[in-house]
Amino acid sequence: ILERKHPDAVMLSAFYIKTKNILIDKIKTFFRDQFFSRRVKLPYNKSENLAYFYEHAVVENISYLDDAMHIDCVISKINKGRFAGLI
């Protein structure tokens, strides 16, 4: 029933609290290892690249300062190469 109702979901199960907690920790570790956080200073004359951050990263915060935009973001290690020259 769940597979029909949520076809894109990944189904996991653990019968015991101990194994459930181990499973949750392994999932958290896996995803934590796939991403990194970064603060990027993006000069205003390169502001056209801001859309790129929204498209290929998770933008958590932007500070508009006198010298540039300071972008706090989370980037997938797979996408790191896309940001060459920007991070």
Side-chain angles (χ1 to χ4, degrees):
I1 294 174
L2 285 174
E3 288 178 309
R4 284 181 286 171
K5 191 171 183 178
H6 306 284
D8 295 328
V10 175
M11 304 299 167
L12 302 171
S13 67
F15 291 107
Y16 304 104
I17 295 294
K18 181 180 177 183
T19 55
K20 177 184 142 201
N21 291 336
I22 292 170
L23 181 61
I24 289 170
D25 288 343
K26 286 183 183 261
I27 292 168
K28 285 180 183 178
T29 300
F30 172 80
F31 282 104
R32 191 178 313 118
D33 291 345
Q34 303 302 311
F35 296 87
F36 63 97
S37 295
R38 185 66 46 100
R39 172 169 274 185
V40 179
K41 183 177 173 181
L42 185 64
Y44 288 112
N45 65 351
K46 294 187 178 183
S47 61
E48 70 275 2
N49 292 316
L50 181 59
Y52 201 75
F53 282 88
Y54 278 103
E55 185 176 347
H56 298 288
V58 176
V59 175
E60 295 182 323
N61 186 46
I62 298 179
S63 300
Y64 296 93
L65 302 177
D66 290 339
D67 60 337
M69 292 177 265
H70 292 241
I71 305 167
D72 295 325
C73 59
V74 178
I75 300 170
S76 164
K77 289 181 180 178
I78 293 171
N79 284 332
K80 184 178 180 181
R82 294 178 184 237
F83 290 93
L86 295 174
I87 57 172

